[in-house]
Amino acid sequence: METHLESTAPDSPRNWRSRLPTWATVCEAAVFLLFAVFFLSYGVTPLLGGDGLGLVGADEPRYAQIAHEMLDRFDHAHTLKGRLSACVTPYLYGRPWLEKPALYYWRAMFVFQEFGVHDWSARLPSATFAFIMAALIYLHMRRFRPGGHLDAALITVACAGIIGFARGASTDMQMAAPLAIGLLGWYAWYETDSKFWLFDIYFFTGVATLAKGPVAPFLAIAIVAAFAFLRREWTLLRRSLWWPGVLLYLAIVLPWFLAVQHQNPTFFREFFLEHNLERFATDRYAHAKPVWYYGMVIVLAIMPWTVIAARALIDGIQTSVAEWRIRHAGKRPRAVNRPGDAFPEFLVLWALIPIVFFTFSESKLPGYILPSIPPITILTGDYLFRRRKPGLHRWELLGHAVVAGAMTMFALTLPWFVAHGAHWPPAHALVAAALSAAGAALLILIVVNGWGVARLRLATTGVLVVLMLFLYGVGPFFGIPAIGATKRVIHLLDRSYSARPLAERLAGLGPADETVAVFEVRRDVEYGLSFYRNREVVNYEESGVPDEQHLLVVRVAGRGGVDLHTQSALDEYLEGRPYEPLFSWPEQGLVIYMVGSR
């Protein structure tokens, strides 16, 4: 009797061993961790792949600069009230910037405190949120729909959309990741009826609201309401309205919105009316796209899983329609909270509603439908798990292999097109790229035919790992030096799309506080130079020509090397002042001048 009691005691060695994860679970988690860290951070941080690509586009340097200025005001405040006040209004070059809420700026600001102000540290808020989202997809699926959890998590971190936006110093991932976590929490509540899970939807929707504003709660409410309507479970809306959760949401959101309105009386008009309603209803910000635009975006964002993801989405729609017909035909009583029964319906609505909603917007950008990617990757992971025994249809497997091959072909020829424009590469380069693409496709076909659908994730992610190493180069790895010869591609991309190399070249031509001006350049060059020099560059077209001697960056060539005929316009601006060319930057069609004082 004593032996039996000892073996079943809560603190007995046998009982503790039973609580420990199995070796298979540890290996599975390690696989997820290894691939997630690689795909989300390789080539972003100096320790893992190096920070090979500077900030690109107009948004990345602009948002990073706002966070930098917020940190400066925070550090110069000497009281708690002053520090809190410094975190309220975002400023760009000393002027309020009220387009977006402050979540990204707060997170980047505190990352800057820990790691310094760098372009790579400006990207860590997005990378960390993407990792947390993928980890919670893994844990949610493992608990509520086990089997496809590792596939779903790996597909999430290994698709083009997540890899791309996880590396962006922007607000898109700041909204999409918390919203995804909150919706997964709401569905966990739907299955368990535990208020513990209902907490997630309110907390994380509040976080997402601080990232991009009212679109986050709108999407959450629209998805939940559509789900309740489809299943005719009208009490869901009442039961989801949890007053502690509402108070939690308001406690997260209201302090900043009230404080920024108090500091900036124009905030309501600028943020809600101009940057939300007008952005949706008009093309004020010149982002008009055709009605099919988001169809193309989602196809590219899910690559290389596009074919299987499309089949999984169709399967989810078919399952949802079948469930709807059974419920409405009265063939069996409707059973609420049957685990897994409603999951495909929920994911399909979650995937489609953001796409449909933003299709009606007059202003379209790729990041707007980032919230639609997680449900599609979850559906894909679950679909692959269910197809392990019967196997994939031939056209699905072949289509997936072809897409992976096409992605390989594109990656290998990308450097040529970046350097030479629309001209076709030489025959030997095309043949080499085509053979590599065929090899990637054959690898996937051979692995799946030989070892089953369960190994599809390994074969596909293996191809992606090779492509990432091709683009970003090999190393460094936590102190092990990089192989310099493998870094040519990322250096080319850096010189062609980032202002960082140019800013470094300009820094060697004069003192750090020397005025730099721009003329007829793209916004990404203007904002990029301002971030890397930590001071606003002068734009001739907006501020005129400075009186003092200064460096001038002029765009003289457009896409494909087209002459923009800027010389005559430049002469009119300078009105006889002396200037001389210093060097050219052909990768971006720029010429740099030294302009004498007036």
Side-chain angles (χ1 to χ4, degrees):
M1 178 64 69
E2 291 180 1
T3 303
H4 174 72
L5 290 176
E6 181 180 346
S7 65
T8 57
D11 57 350
S12 67
R14 181 178 299 177
N15 192 280
W16 277 108
R17 282 195 297 270
S18 67
R19 296 182 183 182
L20 293 174
T22 63
W23 177 245
T25 300
V26 172
C27 292
E28 184 183 79
V31 168
F32 164 71
L33 182 64
L34 179 65
F35 280 102
V37 169
F38 178 83
F39 284 121
L40 298 179
S41 64
Y42 187 80
V44 174
T45 62
L47 288 177
L48 186 60
D51 53 334
L53 182 63
L55 300 178
V56 298
D59 286 343
E60 278 201 294
R62 184 169 52 192
Y63 293 157
Q65 181 63 25
I66 292 171
H68 189 182
E69 294 185 27
M70 185 176 284
L71 176 61
D72 284 341
R73 294 195 308 278
F74 182 85
D75 287 340
H76 285 88
H78 302 293
T79 65
L80 177 60
K81 181 179 179 181
R83 290 194 164 194
L84 291 175
S85 178
C87 296
V88 173
T89 301
Y91 284 87
L92 181 63
Y93 315 130
R95 299 182 292 274
W97 185 271
L98 304 176
E99 284 193 10
K100 298 290 189 297
L103 179 65
Y104 169 78
Y105 312 130
W106 294 338
R107 299 189 71 226
M109 178 180 73
F110 291 116
V111 171
F112 288 162
Q113 278 189 318
E114 293 296 324
F115 301 104
V117 180
H118 308 288
D119 42 24
W120 64 266
S121 55
R123 288 167 168 158
L124 288 184
S126 295
T128 53
F129 256 173
F131 176 80
I132 294 170
M133 177 184 70
L136 289 176
I137 287 174
Y138 172 82
L139 295 174
H140 176 93
M141 292 284 286
R142 189 171 184 271
R143 173 164 182 175
F144 292 101
R145 206 169 179 93
H149 51 285
L150 183 58
D151 282 304
L154 290 183
I155 291 170
T156 300
V157 299
C159 67
I162 299 299
I163 291 175
F165 282 101
R167 296 159 184 270
S170 67
T171 59
D172 296 301
M173 188 61 73
Q174 315 302 311
M175 187 197 81
L179 182 62
I181 296 169
L183 288 170
L184 288 174
W186 182 88
Y187 189 79
W189 164 81
Y190 173 75
E191 289 196 352
T192 64
D193 207 29
S194 170
K195 296 294 186 183
F196 171 81
W197 298 108
L198 195 57
F199 163 88
D200 285 3
I201 188 69
Y202 287 98
F203 177 82
F204 287 105
T205 303
V207 173
T209 304
L210 286 176
K212 294 200 85 168
V215 68
F218 173 83
L219 290 177
I221 293 171
I223 292 166
V224 170
F227 180 77
F229 173 80
L230 182 66
R231 297 187 65 81
R232 290 193 174 182
E233 296 179 21
W234 308 113
T235 60
L236 271 180
L237 298 178
R238 176 181 54 79
R239 291 165 53 219
S240 298
L241 188 61
W242 185 43
W243 290 112
V246 173
L247 294 176
L248 174 65
Y249 174 84
L250 295 176
I252 293 171
V253 171
L254 282 185
W256 180 79
F257 277 91
L258 294 176
V260 74
Q261 175 66 28
H262 177 72
Q263 290 187 2
N264 306 272
T266 62
F267 170 75
F268 181 89
R269 175 182 58 80
E270 290 188 42
F271 178 73
F272 288 101
L273 298 183
E274 294 180 10
H275 293 289
N276 281 272
L277 293 179
E278 285 191 34
R279 186 180 291 269
F280 182 87
T282 70
D283 185 31
R284 173 175 178 173
Y285 298 97
H287 296 312
K289 297 292 189 299
V291 70
W292 46 263
Y293 175 72
Y294 283 127
M296 178 187 67
V297 169
I298 205 70
V299 164
L300 297 176
I302 302 297
M303 287 184 71
W305 310 93
T306 305
V307 172
I308 298 176
R311 183 65 187 90
L313 182 61
I314 293 172
D315 181 77
I317 294 173
Q318 291 173 338
T319 301
S320 303
V321 171
E323 288 284 342
W324 183 85
R325 287 176 175 173
I326 290 174
R327 288 194 302 270
H328 286 261
K331 295 182 179 179
R332 57 177 170 82
R334 178 163 49 89
V336 180
N337 293 343
R338 286 188 293 112
D341 175 55
F343 199 44
E345 298 174 65
F346 181 71
L347 293 175
V348 167
L349 291 171
W350 177 3
L352 295 182
I353 284 176
I355 296 174
V356 173
F357 173 71
F358 286 112
T359 294
F360 286 99
S361 173
E362 292 296 324
S363 181
K364 296 180 177 69
L365 289 173
Y368 291 176
I369 60 162
L370 188 60
S372 291
I373 295 180
I376 295 176
T377 60
I378 294 171
L379 280 168
T380 307
D382 185 63
Y383 177 77
L384 284 177
F385 172 70
R386 290 184 285 108
R387 298 300 304 182
R388 285 188 181 181
K389 286 187 178 180
L392 293 172
H393 298 293
R394 289 183 179 179
W395 69 266
E396 293 174 348
L397 180 57
L398 182 60
H400 177 72
V402 168
V403 170
M407 198 171 183
T408 302
M409 184 87 172
F410 171 78
L412 296 182
T413 56
L414 176 64
W416 172 271
F417 288 112
V418 169
H420 300 91
H423 303 288
W424 280 100
H428 67 275
L430 281 176
V431 170
L435 289 175
S436 300
L442 284 174
L443 173 67
I444 291 173
L445 293 174
I446 292 171
V447 169
V448 175
N449 284 325
W451 288 274
V453 176
R455 297 293 181 268
L456 177 65
R457 65 192 180 207
L458 180 62
T460 306
T461 52
V463 171
L464 292 178
V465 167
V466 173
L467 295 183
M468 293 280 286
L469 294 175
F470 170 77
L471 292 175
Y472 286 93
V474 179
F477 297 102
F478 300 104
I480 301 174
I483 301 176
T486 66
K487 294 290 184 178
R488 289 194 293 267
V489 174
I490 194 62
H491 289 163
L492 171 64
L493 296 176
D494 194 29
R495 289 177 61 87
S496 301
Y497 295 109
S498 171
R500 181 176 64 180
L502 177 58
E504 293 172 351
R505 180 79 178 271
L506 294 177
L509 297 178
D513 60 349
E514 180 162 20
T515 300
V516 172
V518 295
F519 178 59
E520 293 194 352
V521 302
R522 300 187 311 269
R523 290 194 308 160
D524 57 326
V525 175
E526 179 180 350
Y527 288 129
L529 290 175
S530 297
F531 171 76
Y532 287 109
R533 296 182 62 84
N534 192 28
R535 57 181 300 179
E536 185 178 13
V537 301
V538 178
N539 191 317
Y540 274 16
E541 297 162 283
E542 295 176 3
S543 306
V545 181
D547 291 335
E548 69 274 13
Q549 175 181 286
H550 58 275
L551 295 168
L552 174 64
V553 180
V554 180
R555 189 180 182 209
V556 297
R559 182 173 297 180
V562 176
D563 186 355
L564 299 180
H565 303 289
T566 56
Q567 193 66 45
S568 58
L570 177 61
D571 290 336
E572 290 183 13
Y573 268 92
L574 293 178
E575 298 177 336
R577 287 176 62 174
Y579 67 98
E580 61 176 334
L582 299 179
F583 62 92
S584 63
W585 200 264
E587 290 87 352
Q588 300 189 42
L590 305 174
V591 173
I592 290 75
Y593 295 93
M594 176 65 77
V595 180
S597 58
R598 186 179 297 277

